[in-house]
Coordinates of all heavy atoms in Angstrom, one line a residue:
M1 N 116.4 89.3 245.4 CA 117.6 88.9 246.0 C 118.4 88.0 245.1 O 117.9 87.2 244.3 CB 117.2 88.0 247.3 CG 116.9 88.8 248.5 SD 116.9 87.9 250.0 CE 115.4 86.9 249.7
P2 N 119.7 88.2 245.1 CA 120.6 87.5 244.2 C 120.6 86.0 244.6 O 120.4 85.6 245.7 CB 122.0 88.1 244.3 CG 121.8 89.2 245.3 CD 120.5 89.2 245.9
L3 N 120.9 85.2 243.6 CA 121.0 83.8 243.7 C 122.5 83.4 243.8 O 123.2 83.8 242.9 CB 120.3 83.1 242.5 CG 119.8 81.7 242.7 CD1 118.7 81.7 243.8 CD2 119.1 81.3 241.4
Y4 N 122.9 82.7 244.8 CA 124.2 82.3 245.0 C 124.4 80.8 244.8 O 123.5 80.0 245.1 CB 124.7 82.6 246.4 CG 124.8 84.1 246.6 CD1 123.8 84.8 247.2 CD2 126.0 84.8 246.2 CE1 123.9 86.2 247.3 CE2 126.1 86.2 246.4 CZ 125.0 86.9 247.0 OH 125.1 88.2 247.1
E5 N 125.5 80.4 244.2 CA 125.7 79.0 243.9 C 126.7 78.4 244.9 O 127.8 79.1 245.1 CB 126.3 78.9 242.4 CG 126.3 77.5 241.9 CD 126.8 77.4 240.5 OE1 127.0 78.4 239.9 OE2 127.1 76.3 240.0
F6 N 126.4 77.3 245.4 CA 127.3 76.6 246.4 C 127.7 75.2 245.8 O 126.9 74.6 245.1 CB 126.6 76.5 247.7 CG 126.3 77.8 248.4 CD1 125.2 78.5 248.1 CD2 127.2 78.3 249.3 CE1 124.9 79.7 248.7 CE2 127.0 79.5 249.9 CZ 125.8 80.2 249.6
R7 N 128.9 74.8 246.3 CA 129.3 73.4 245.9 C 130.0 72.8 247.0 O 130.9 73.3 247.6 CB 130.2 73.5 244.6 CG 130.5 72.2 244.1 CD 131.4 72.3 242.9 NE 131.5 71.0 242.3 CZ 131.5 70.8 241.0 NH1 131.4 71.7 240.1 NH2 131.7 69.6 240.5
C8 N 129.6 71.6 247.4 CA 130.2 70.9 248.5 C 131.4 70.0 248.1 O 131.6 69.8 246.9 CB 129.1 70.0 249.2 SG 128.8 68.4 248.4
P9 N 132.2 69.5 249.0 CA 133.4 68.7 248.6 C 133.0 67.5 247.8 O 133.8 66.9 247.1 CB 134.0 68.3 250.0 CG 133.5 69.3 250.9 CD 132.1 69.8 250.4
E10 N 131.8 67.0 247.9 CA 131.4 65.8 247.2 C 130.9 66.1 245.8 O 130.5 65.2 245.0 CB 130.3 65.0 247.9 CG 130.8 64.4 249.2 CD 129.8 63.4 249.8 OE1 128.7 63.3 249.3 OE2 130.2 62.9 250.9
G11 N 130.8 67.4 245.5 CA 130.5 67.8 244.1 C 129.0 68.2 243.9 O 128.6 68.4 242.7
T12 N 128.2 68.2 244.9 CA 126.8 68.6 244.8 C 126.7 70.1 244.7 O 127.3 70.8 245.5 CB 126.0 68.1 246.0 OG1 126.2 66.7 246.2 CG2 124.5 68.4 245.7
S13 N 126.1 70.6 243.6 CA 125.9 72.0 243.5 C 124.4 72.4 243.8 O 123.5 71.6 243.5 CB 126.2 72.5 242.0 OG 127.6 72.3 241.7
F14 N 124.3 73.5 244.5 CA 122.9 73.9 244.8 C 122.9 75.5 244.8 O 124.0 76.1 244.9 CB 122.4 73.3 246.0 CG 123.2 73.6 247.3 CD1 122.8 74.6 248.1 CD2 124.3 72.9 247.6 CE1 123.5 74.9 249.3 CE2 125.0 73.1 248.7 CZ 124.7 74.1 249.6
E15 N 121.8 76.0 244.8 CA 121.6 77.5 244.8 C 120.8 77.9 246.0 O 119.9 77.2 246.4 CB 121.0 78.0 243.5 CG 121.9 77.8 242.3 CD 121.2 78.1 241.0 OE1 120.0 78.0 240.9 OE2 121.9 78.5 240.0
A16 N 121.1 79.1 246.5 CA 120.4 79.7 247.6 C 120.3 81.2 247.4 O 121.2 81.8 246.9 CB 121.0 79.3 248.9
S17 N 119.2 81.8 247.9 CA 119.0 83.2 247.7 C 119.3 83.9 249.0 O 118.7 83.5 250.0 CB 117.6 83.4 247.2 OG 117.4 84.8 246.9
F18 N 120.1 84.9 249.0 CA 120.4 85.8 250.1 C 120.5 87.2 249.7 O 120.7 87.5 248.5 CB 121.7 85.4 250.8 CG 121.8 84.0 251.4 CD1 122.3 83.0 250.7 CD2 121.3 83.8 252.7 CE1 122.4 81.7 251.2 CE2 121.3 82.5 253.2 CZ 121.9 81.5 252.5
T19 N 120.3 88.1 250.7 CA 120.7 89.5 250.4 C 122.2 89.6 250.2 O 122.9 88.8 250.7 CB 120.2 90.5 251.5 OG1 120.8 90.1 252.7 CG2 118.7 90.4 251.7
M20 N 122.6 90.6 249.5 CA 124.1 90.7 249.2 C 124.9 90.8 250.5 O 126.0 90.3 250.6 CB 124.3 91.9 248.3 CG 123.9 91.6 246.9 SD 124.1 93.0 245.8 CE 125.8 92.7 245.4
S21 N 124.3 91.5 251.6 CA 125.1 91.6 252.8 C 125.1 90.4 253.7 O 125.9 90.2 254.5 CB 124.6 92.8 253.6 OG 123.2 92.6 253.9
Q22 N 124.1 89.5 253.5 CA 123.9 88.3 254.3 C 124.4 87.1 253.7 O 124.2 86.0 254.3 CB 122.5 88.2 254.8 CG 122.0 89.3 255.7 CD 120.6 89.2 256.1 OE1 119.8 88.7 255.3 NE2 120.2 89.7 257.2
A23 N 124.9 87.1 252.5 CA 125.3 85.9 251.8 C 126.5 85.3 252.5 O 127.6 85.9 252.7 CB 125.7 86.2 250.4
P24 N 126.4 84.0 253.0 CA 127.5 83.4 253.7 C 128.5 82.8 252.7 O 128.2 82.6 251.6 CB 126.8 82.2 254.5 CG 125.6 81.9 253.6 CD 125.2 83.2 253.0
R25 N 129.8 82.7 253.2 CA 130.8 82.1 252.3 C 130.6 80.6 252.3 O 131.0 80.0 251.3 CB 132.2 82.5 252.9 CG 132.3 84.0 253.0 CD 133.8 84.3 253.1 NE 134.4 84.2 251.8 CZ 135.7 84.1 251.7 NH1 136.5 84.1 252.7 NH2 136.2 84.1 250.5
E26 N 130.1 80.0 253.3 CA 129.8 78.5 253.4 C 128.4 78.3 253.9 O 127.9 79.0 254.7 CB 130.9 77.8 254.2 CG 132.3 77.9 253.7 CD 133.3 77.1 254.5 OE1 133.1 77.0 255.7 OE2 134.3 76.7 253.9
L27 N 127.9 77.2 253.4 CA 126.5 76.8 253.8 C 126.5 75.3 253.8 O 127.2 74.6 253.0 CB 125.5 77.3 252.7 CG 124.1 77.3 253.0 CD1 123.7 78.2 254.2 CD2 123.2 77.7 251.8
A28 N 125.6 74.7 254.7 CA 125.5 73.3 254.8 C 124.9 72.7 253.6 O 123.8 73.2 253.1 CB 124.7 72.9 256.1
C29 N 125.5 71.6 253.0 CA 124.9 71.0 251.8 C 123.6 70.3 252.2 O 123.6 69.6 253.2 CB 125.9 70.0 251.3 SG 125.3 69.0 250.0
P30 N 122.6 70.4 251.4 CA 121.3 69.7 251.7 C 121.3 68.2 251.6 O 120.5 67.5 252.2 CB 120.3 70.4 250.7 CG 121.2 70.9 249.6 CD 122.5 71.2 250.2
S31 N 122.3 67.7 250.8 CA 122.3 66.2 250.6 C 123.3 65.5 251.6 O 122.9 64.5 252.1 CB 122.6 65.9 249.2 OG 123.9 66.3 248.8
C32 N 124.5 66.1 251.9 CA 125.4 65.4 252.7 C 125.7 66.1 254.0 O 126.3 65.5 254.9 CB 126.7 65.1 252.0 SG 127.7 66.6 251.6
G33 N 125.3 67.4 254.1 CA 125.5 68.1 255.4 C 126.9 68.7 255.6 O 127.1 69.4 256.5
Q34 N 127.8 68.5 254.7 CA 129.1 69.1 254.8 C 129.0 70.6 254.4 O 128.1 71.0 253.8 CB 130.1 68.4 253.8 CG 130.4 67.0 254.2 CD 131.4 66.4 253.3 OE1 132.5 66.9 253.2 NE2 131.1 65.3 252.6
E35 N 130.1 71.3 254.7 CA 130.1 72.7 254.4 C 130.4 72.9 252.9 O 131.4 72.4 252.3 CB 131.3 73.4 255.2 CG 131.0 73.6 256.7 CD 129.8 74.6 256.9 OE1 129.9 75.7 256.5 OE2 128.8 74.2 257.6
A36 N 129.5 73.6 252.2 CA 129.6 73.9 250.8 C 130.1 75.3 250.6 O 129.5 76.2 251.2 CB 128.3 73.6 250.1
R37 N 131.1 75.5 249.8 CA 131.7 76.8 249.6 C 130.9 77.5 248.5 O 130.4 76.9 247.5 CB 133.1 76.7 249.2 CG 134.0 76.2 250.3 CD 135.4 76.5 250.1 NE 135.6 77.9 250.1 CZ 136.8 78.5 249.9 NH1 137.8 77.8 249.5 NH2 136.9 79.8 249.9
R38 N 130.8 78.8 248.7 CA 130.1 79.7 247.7 C 131.0 79.8 246.4 O 132.2 80.0 246.6 CB 129.8 81.0 248.3 CG 128.9 81.9 247.4 CD 128.5 83.1 248.1 NE 129.5 84.1 247.9 CZ 129.6 85.2 248.7 NH1 128.8 85.4 249.8 NH2 130.6 86.1 248.5
R39 N 130.4 79.6 245.3 CA 131.2 79.7 244.1 C 130.9 81.1 243.4 O 129.9 81.7 243.6 CB 130.7 78.6 243.1 CG 130.9 77.2 243.6 CD 130.5 76.2 242.6 NE 131.5 76.1 241.6 CZ 131.3 75.6 240.4 NH1 130.1 75.1 240.1 NH2 132.2 75.5 239.5
I40 N 131.9 81.4 242.6 CA 131.8 82.7 241.9 C 131.2 82.3 240.5 O 131.9 81.5 239.8 CB 133.1 83.4 241.7 CG1 133.6 83.8 243.1 CG2 133.0 84.6 240.8 CD1 135.0 84.3 243.2
S41 N 130.1 82.8 240.2 CA 129.5 82.5 238.9 C 129.0 83.8 238.3 O 128.8 84.8 238.9 CB 128.3 81.5 239.1 OG 127.4 82.0 240.0
A42 N 128.8 83.7 237.0 CA 128.4 84.9 236.2 C 126.9 85.2 236.5 O 126.1 84.4 236.6 CB 128.5 84.6 234.7
P43 N 126.7 86.5 236.8 CA 125.3 86.9 237.0 C 124.5 86.7 235.7 O 125.0 86.9 234.6 CB 125.4 88.4 237.4 CG 126.7 88.8 236.9 CD 127.6 87.6 236.8
K44 N 123.2 86.4 235.9 CA 122.4 86.2 234.7 C 121.6 87.4 234.3 O 120.4 87.3 233.9 CB 121.5 85.0 235.0 CG 122.3 83.7 235.1 CD 121.5 82.5 235.6 CE 122.4 81.3 235.8 NZ 121.7 80.3 236.6
L45 N 122.1 88.6 234.6 CA 121.4 89.8 234.3 C 121.5 90.2 232.8 O 120.5 90.8 232.3 CB 122.0 90.9 235.1 CG 122.1 90.8 236.6 CD1 122.9 91.9 237.3 CD2 120.6 90.7 237.2
S46 N 122.6 89.8 232.1 CA 122.7 90.3 230.7 C 121.7 89.6 229.8 O 121.5 90.0 228.7 CB 124.1 90.0 230.3 OG 124.4 88.6 230.3
L47 N 121.1 88.5 230.2 CA 120.1 87.8 229.4 C 118.8 88.6 229.2 O 118.2 88.5 228.2 CB 119.8 86.4 229.9 CG 120.9 85.3 229.7 CD1 120.4 84.0 230.4 CD2 121.1 85.1 228.2
A48 N 118.5 89.3 230.2 CA 117.2 90.0 230.2 C 117.2 91.0 229.1 O 118.1 91.9 229.0 CB 116.9 90.7 231.5
G49 N 116.1 91.0 228.3 CA 116.0 91.9 227.2 C 116.7 91.5 225.9 O 116.5 92.2 224.9
S50 N 117.5 90.5 225.9 CA 118.2 90.1 224.7 C 117.3 89.3 223.8 O 116.2 88.8 224.2 CB 119.5 89.3 225.1 OG 119.1 88.0 225.6
S51 N 117.7 89.1 222.6 CA 116.9 88.4 221.6 C 116.8 86.9 222.1 O 115.7 86.3 221.9 CB 117.4 88.5 220.2 OG 118.8 88.0 220.2
E52 N 117.8 86.4 222.7 CA 117.8 85.0 223.2 C 116.7 84.9 224.3 O 115.9 83.9 224.3 CB 119.2 84.7 223.8 CG 119.3 83.2 224.2 CD 120.6 83.0 224.9 OE1 121.3 84.0 225.2 OE2 120.9 81.8 225.2
F53 N 116.7 85.8 225.2 CA 115.7 85.8 226.3 C 114.3 85.9 225.7 O 113.4 85.2 226.2 CB 116.0 87.0 227.2 CG 115.4 86.8 228.6 CD1 115.9 86.0 229.5 CD2 114.3 87.6 228.9 CE1 115.4 85.9 230.8 CE2 113.7 87.5 230.2 CZ 114.3 86.6 231.1
K54 N 114.1 86.8 224.7 CA 112.8 87.0 224.1 C 112.3 85.7 223.4 O 111.1 85.3 223.5 CB 112.8 88.1 223.1 CG 112.8 89.5 223.8 CD 112.9 90.6 222.8 CE 113.1 91.9 223.5 NZ 113.6 92.9 222.5
L55 N 113.2 85.0 222.8 CA 112.9 83.7 222.1 C 112.5 82.7 223.1 O 111.4 82.0 222.9 CB 114.1 83.2 221.3 CG 113.9 81.9 220.6 CD1 112.8 82.0 219.5 CD2 115.2 81.4 219.9
I56 N 113.2 82.6 224.2 CA 112.8 81.6 225.3 C 111.5 82.0 225.8 O 110.6 81.1 226.0 CB 113.9 81.6 226.4 CG1 115.2 81.1 225.8 CG2 113.5 80.8 227.6 CD1 116.4 81.3 226.7
D57 N 111.2 83.2 226.1 CA 109.9 83.7 226.6 C 108.8 83.4 225.6 O 107.8 82.8 226.0 CB 110.0 85.2 226.8 CG 109.8 85.6 228.2 OD1 110.0 84.7 229.1 OD2 109.5 86.8 228.5
A58 N 109.0 83.7 224.3 CA 107.9 83.4 223.4 C 107.7 81.9 223.2 O 106.5 81.5 223.0 CB 108.4 84.0 222.0
T59 N 108.7 81.1 223.3 CA 108.5 79.7 223.1 C 107.7 79.1 224.3 O 106.8 78.3 224.1 CB 109.9 79.0 223.1 OG1 110.7 79.6 222.0 CG2 109.8 77.5 222.8
K60 N 108.1 79.6 225.5 CA 107.3 79.2 226.7 C 105.9 79.6 226.6 O 105.0 78.9 226.9 CB 108.0 79.7 228.0 CG 109.2 79.0 228.4 CD 109.8 79.6 229.7 CE 111.0 78.9 230.1 NZ 111.7 79.5 231.2
R61 N 105.7 80.9 226.2 CA 104.3 81.4 226.1 C 103.5 80.7 225.1 O 102.3 80.5 225.3 CB 104.4 82.9 225.8 CG 103.1 83.7 226.1 CD 103.2 85.2 225.9 NE 104.5 85.8 226.1 CZ 105.3 86.3 225.1 NH1 104.8 86.3 223.8 NH2 106.4 86.8 225.3
S62 N 104.1 80.3 223.9 CA 103.3 79.6 222.9 C 102.8 78.3 223.3 O 101.9 77.7 222.7 CB 104.1 79.5 221.6 OG 105.2 78.6 221.8
A63 N 103.3 77.7 224.4 CA 102.8 76.4 224.9 C 101.4 76.5 225.4 O 100.6 75.6 225.3 CB 103.8 75.9 225.9
H64 N 101.1 77.6 226.0 CA 99.7 77.7 226.6 C 98.9 78.9 226.1 O 97.7 78.9 226.3 CB 99.8 77.8 228.2 CG 100.7 79.0 228.6 ND1 100.3 80.2 228.8 CD2 102.0 79.0 229.0 CE1 101.3 81.0 229.2 NE2 102.3 80.3 229.3
E65 N 99.5 79.8 225.3 CA 98.6 80.8 224.7 C 99.2 81.1 223.2 O 99.9 82.1 223.0 CB 98.6 82.1 225.5 CG 99.9 82.6 226.0 CD 99.8 83.9 226.8 OE1 99.8 85.0 226.3 OE2 99.6 83.8 228.0
P66 N 98.8 80.2 222.3 CA 99.3 80.4 220.9 C 98.8 81.6 220.3 O 97.7 82.1 220.6 CB 98.8 79.1 220.2 CG 97.7 78.6 221.0 CD 98.0 79.0 222.4
E67 N 99.6 82.2 219.4 CA 99.2 83.4 218.7 C 98.0 83.2 217.8 O 97.9 82.2 217.2 CB 100.4 84.0 217.9 CG 101.4 84.6 218.8 CD 102.6 85.2 218.0 OE1 102.3 85.8 216.9 OE2 103.7 85.1 218.4
V68 N 97.1 84.2 217.8 CA 95.9 84.1 216.9 C 96.3 84.4 215.5 O 97.0 85.5 215.2 CB 94.8 85.0 217.4 CG1 93.6 85.0 216.4 CG2 94.4 84.6 218.8
V69 N 96.0 83.6 214.5 CA 96.3 83.8 213.1 C 95.1 84.4 212.4 O 94.0 83.9 212.4 CB 96.7 82.5 212.4 CG1 97.0 82.7 211.0 CG2 97.8 81.8 213.1
S70 N 95.3 85.6 211.9 CA 94.2 86.3 211.3 C 94.2 86.3 209.7 O 93.2 86.4 209.1 CB 94.1 87.8 211.7 OG 95.3 88.4 211.4
N71 N 95.4 86.0 209.2 CA 95.6 85.9 207.7 C 95.4 84.5 207.3 O 95.5 83.6 208.0 CB 96.9 86.4 207.3 CG 97.1 87.9 207.5 OD1 96.1 88.6 207.6 ND2 98.3 88.3 207.6
R72 N 95.1 84.4 205.9 CA 95.0 83.0 205.4 C 96.5 82.5 205.3 O 97.4 83.2 205.2 CB 94.4 83.1 204.0 CG 92.9 83.1 204.0 CD 92.4 82.9 202.7 NE 92.6 84.1 201.9 CZ 92.2 84.2 200.6 NH1 91.6 83.3 200.0 NH2 92.5 85.3 200.0
L73 N 96.5 81.1 205.3 CA 97.8 80.5 205.2 C 98.4 80.7 203.8 O 97.6 80.8 202.8 CB 97.7 79.0 205.4 CG 97.4 78.6 206.9 CD1 97.1 77.1 206.9 CD2 98.6 79.0 207.8
P74 N 99.7 80.9 203.6 CA 100.2 81.0 202.2 C 99.9 79.8 201.4 O 100.1 78.6 201.9 CB 101.7 81.2 202.4 CG 102.0 80.8 203.8 CD 100.7 80.9 204.6
G75 N 99.5 80.0 200.2 CA 99.2 78.8 199.3 C 97.7 78.4 199.3 O 97.2 77.8 198.4
S76 N 96.9 78.9 200.3 CA 95.5 78.6 200.4 C 94.7 79.5 199.5 O 93.5 79.2 199.2 CB 95.0 78.6 201.8 OG 95.1 79.9 202.3
G77 N 95.2 80.7 199.2 CA 94.5 81.7 198.4 C 94.9 81.8 197.0 O 95.2 82.8 196.5
R78 N 94.9 80.6 196.3 CA 95.3 80.6 194.9 C 94.5 81.4 193.9 O 95.0 82.0 193.0 CB 95.4 79.2 194.4 CG 96.6 78.5 194.9 CD 97.0 77.3 194.0 NE 98.2 76.8 194.6 CZ 99.4 76.6 194.0 NH1 99.4 76.7 192.7 NH2 100.4 76.2 194.6
S79 N 93.2 81.4 194.1 CA 92.3 82.1 193.2 C 92.6 83.6 193.2 O 92.4 84.3 192.2 CB 90.8 81.8 193.6 OG 90.6 82.3 194.9
S80 N 93.0 84.2 194.3 CA 93.2 85.6 194.4 C 94.5 86.0 193.8 O 94.7 87.1 193.4 CB 93.2 86.1 195.8 OG 94.2 85.5 196.6
A81 N 95.4 85.0 193.6 CA 96.8 85.3 193.1 C 96.8 85.3 191.5 O 97.8 85.6 191.0 CB 97.8 84.3 193.6
T82 N 95.7 84.8 190.9 CA 95.7 84.6 189.4 C 95.8 85.9 188.7 O 96.5 86.0 187.7 CB 94.5 83.8 189.0 OG1 93.4 84.4 189.5 CG2 94.6 82.4 189.3
G83 N 95.1 86.9 189.0 CA 95.1 88.1 188.2 C 96.0 89.3 188.6 O 95.5 90.4 188.7
Y84 N 97.2 89.0 188.9 CA 98.0 90.2 189.3 C 98.9 90.7 188.2 O 99.6 91.7 188.4 CB 98.6 90.1 190.7 CG 99.7 89.1 190.9 CD1 101.0 89.3 190.4 CD2 99.5 88.1 191.8 CE1 102.0 88.4 190.7 CE2 100.5 87.2 192.1 CZ 101.7 87.4 191.6 OH 102.7 86.5 191.9
T85 N 98.8 90.2 187.0 CA 99.5 90.8 185.9 C 98.5 90.9 184.7 O 97.7 90.1 184.5 CB 100.8 90.0 185.4 OG1 101.3 90.6 184.3 CG2 100.5 88.5 185.2
Y86 N 98.6 92.0 184.0 CA 97.7 92.3 182.9 C 98.4 92.3 181.6 O 97.8 92.6 180.6 CB 96.9 93.7 183.1 CG 96.1 93.6 184.4 CD1 96.6 94.2 185.6 CD2 94.9 92.9 184.4 CE1 95.8 94.2 186.7 CE2 94.2 92.9 185.6 CZ 94.6 93.5 186.7 OH 93.9 93.4 187.9
N87 N 99.6 91.9 181.5 CA 100.4 91.8 180.3 C 99.8 90.6 179.6 O 99.9 89.4 180.1 CB 101.8 91.7 180.6 CG 102.7 91.7 179.3 OD1 102.3 91.3 178.3 ND2 103.9 92.2 179.5
P88 N 99.3 90.7 178.3 CA 98.8 89.5 177.6 C 99.8 88.4 177.3 O 99.5 87.3 177.2 CB 98.2 90.1 176.3 CG 98.7 91.5 176.2 CD 99.2 91.9 177.6
L89 N 101.1 88.8 177.2 CA 102.1 87.8 177.0 C 102.3 86.9 178.2 O 102.6 85.7 178.0 CB 103.5 88.5 176.7 CG 103.5 89.3 175.4 CD1 104.9 90.1 175.3 CD2 103.4 88.5 174.2
H90 N 102.0 87.3 179.3 CA 102.1 86.5 180.5 C 101.0 85.4 180.6 O 101.2 84.4 181.2 CB 102.0 87.3 181.8 CG 103.2 88.2 182.0 ND1 103.2 89.2 182.9 CD2 104.4 88.3 181.4 CE1 104.4 89.8 182.9 NE2 105.1 89.3 181.9
Q91 N 99.9 85.6 179.8 CA 98.8 84.6 179.8 C 99.3 83.3 179.1 O 98.7 82.3 179.3 CB 97.6 85.2 179.0 CG 97.0 86.4 179.7 CD 96.5 86.1 181.1 OE1 95.9 85.1 181.4 NE2 96.8 87.1 182.0
K92 N 100.3 83.4 178.2 CA 100.8 82.3 177.5 C 101.8 81.4 178.3 O 102.2 80.3 177.8 CB 101.5 82.7 176.2 CG 100.5 83.4 175.2 CD 101.3 83.8 174.0 CE 100.3 84.6 173.0 NZ 101.0 85.2 171.9
L93 N 102.3 81.9 179.4 CA 103.2 81.2 180.2 C 102.6 80.0 180.8 O 101.4 80.0 181.1 CB 103.8 82.1 181.3 CG 104.7 83.3 180.9 CD1 105.0 84.2 182.0 CD2 106.0 82.7 180.3
P94 N 103.3 78.9 181.0 CA 102.7 77.7 181.6 C 102.3 77.9 183.0 O 103.0 78.7 183.8 CB 103.8 76.7 181.5 CG 105.1 77.4 181.3 CD 104.7 78.7 180.6
R95 N 101.2 77.3 183.4 CA 100.7 77.4 184.8 C 101.3 76.3 185.6 O 101.5 75.2 185.1 CB 99.2 77.2 184.8 CG 98.4 78.3 184.1 CD 98.3 79.6 184.9 NE 98.1 80.7 184.1 CZ 98.4 81.9 184.4 NH1 99.0 82.2 185.6 NH2 98.3 83.0 183.6
P96 N 101.6 76.6 186.9 CA 102.1 75.5 187.7 C 101.1 74.5 188.0 O 99.9 74.7 188.0 CB 102.6 76.3 189.0 CG 101.8 77.6 189.0 CD 101.5 77.9 187.5
Ligands
LIG1 ZN1 127.1 67.5 249.6

């Protein structure tokens, strides 16, 4: 069901869910009881599937199920990185 946004004369905004055919134009405000008018707001459908939405999803997911790291961290495998050139001239270069 779509979410509709209402705003009362005192400025309180709240949301309520209705079917599209049953959405009222006015609804009683939960804080002051006055009639709150339905506002026209942008639907939040375009966010689904976008990279922004995926980033928000991944960030929330990483809070309780972090990704498993199977590779070594960069910089921890120095010994394996030593012999990747066989040019004898490279042996004279200074080591970091
Ligand atoms: Zn109100």
Side-chain angles (χ1 to χ4, degrees):
M1 276 192 291
L3 207 57
Y4 293 93
E5 189 178 353
F6 294 88
R7 187 176 187 142
C8 81
E10 292 188 0
T12 307
S13 292
F14 59 98
E15 292 174 332
S17 187
F18 293 99
T19 60
M20 288 178 83
S21 60
Q22 292 177 332
R25 301 194 79 199
E26 293 184 333
L27 191 69
C29 172
S31 63
C32 68
Q34 296 184 56
E35 288 293 304
R37 294 197 65 186
R38 192 171 84 201
R39 301 183 73 197
I40 295 171
S41 55
K44 295 170 184 166
L45 302 172
S46 61
L47 283 178
S50 70
S51 57
E52 182 187 12
F53 198 77
K54 284 175 188 166
L55 176 65
I56 292 169
D57 243 16
T59 306
K60 282 182 183 172
R61 200 178 325 113
S62 69
H64 54 86
E65 48 181 270
E67 287 183 36
V68 176
V69 178
S70 56
N71 293 338
R72 278 191 288 181
L73 292 172
S76 65
R78 280 205 177 229
S79 59
S80 66
T82 49
Y84 67 71
T85 174
Y86 296 103
N87 188 331
L89 294 174
H90 290 169
Q91 299 300 317
K92 296 177 182 172
L93 290 173
R95 297 278 156 207

